[in-house]
Amino acid sequence: MRNNYKTVKGHGESEIIIQKSRFITYIERAESEEEAQDFINKIKQKHKDATHNCSAYMIGEHDHIQKANDDGEPSGTAGVPMLEVLKKRALKDTVVVVTRYFGGIKLGGGGLIRAYGKATTEGIDATGEVECQLHHLMKVSIDYTWLGKVENEIRNSIFQLKEIAYADLVEIYVYTKAEDEVKFLEWVTEITNGQAIIDTVEKVFLEFDVV
């Protein structure tokens, strides 16, 4: 299972004009090829009158699904440069559609490659990127006499406090990076003199903005 990966924040749009042609970029997350195709079809339906609706997507832990579609532009001048931007930025589970309304001036092969690459890059910049980091949600069960000390230690640590539940024992829920789980176990055991019961609740991805 992957620990960390980059993707887009979610849905995003941008538009540029190049030699009187409008290039409208749509970005979305897609965790399956079906989701990617559904998004592409939705944009095509929205812009049925467009000259082209070119697309590219990269999906899967090992980027095993990669597709590019020129939608009538000369072969290799639209979908491929769009896909190359996704590869260069290492964005997983991402689909992009660039809608073009022809402005009357032909751009040539090189011009099209640059235009679709630029449209994709600006679309991603407008949407924003996040790094998804694998974390383990840990439950620390302690006697109430330990609450003040343990809560204070956690709030001043590298670990992320999620919530505190009050039952027969105090249950403190904490996110720790996957690679730091053993360090967390040893640390809590030390500060509680071995009085804590520590369990792994689930594995989740937390998202952090890429600046």
Side-chain angles (χ1 to χ4, degrees), residues 1 13 25 43 51 69 83 96 133 135 144-145 154 164 191 205 211:
M1 187 178 187
E13 302 177 15
T25 305
I43 301 303
T51 317
N69 191 312
L83 182 60
V96 55
Q133 299 180 359
H135 282 66
Y144 279 77
T145 57
I154 290 173
I164 300 175
I191 64 176
F205 281 101
V211 180

Side-chain angles (χ1 to χ4, degrees), residues 6-10 27-29 91 94 124 127-130:
K6 283 201 310 176
T7 186
V8 289
K9 281 187 178 181
I27 306 283
E28 187 61 273
R29 281 195 202 179
L91 293 173
T94 301
I124 293 168
T127 306
E129 301 175 22
V130 292

Side-chain angles (χ1 to χ4, degrees), residues 5 12-13 34 50 52 70 72 87 99 174 178 180 183 187 193:
Y5 66 95
E13 302 177 15
E34 182 180 12
H52 307 280
D70 296 312
K87 288 177 166 180
T99 296
V174 182
D180 289 336
K183 181 193 298 184
W187 179 70
N193 293 332

Side-chain angles (χ1 to χ4, degrees), residues 54-57 66-71 76 78-84:
C54 305
S55 59
Y57 52 84
Q66 298 183 19
K67 294 288 176 65
N69 191 312
D70 296 312
D71 195 40
V80 170
M82 291 163 62
L83 182 60
E84 286 303 313

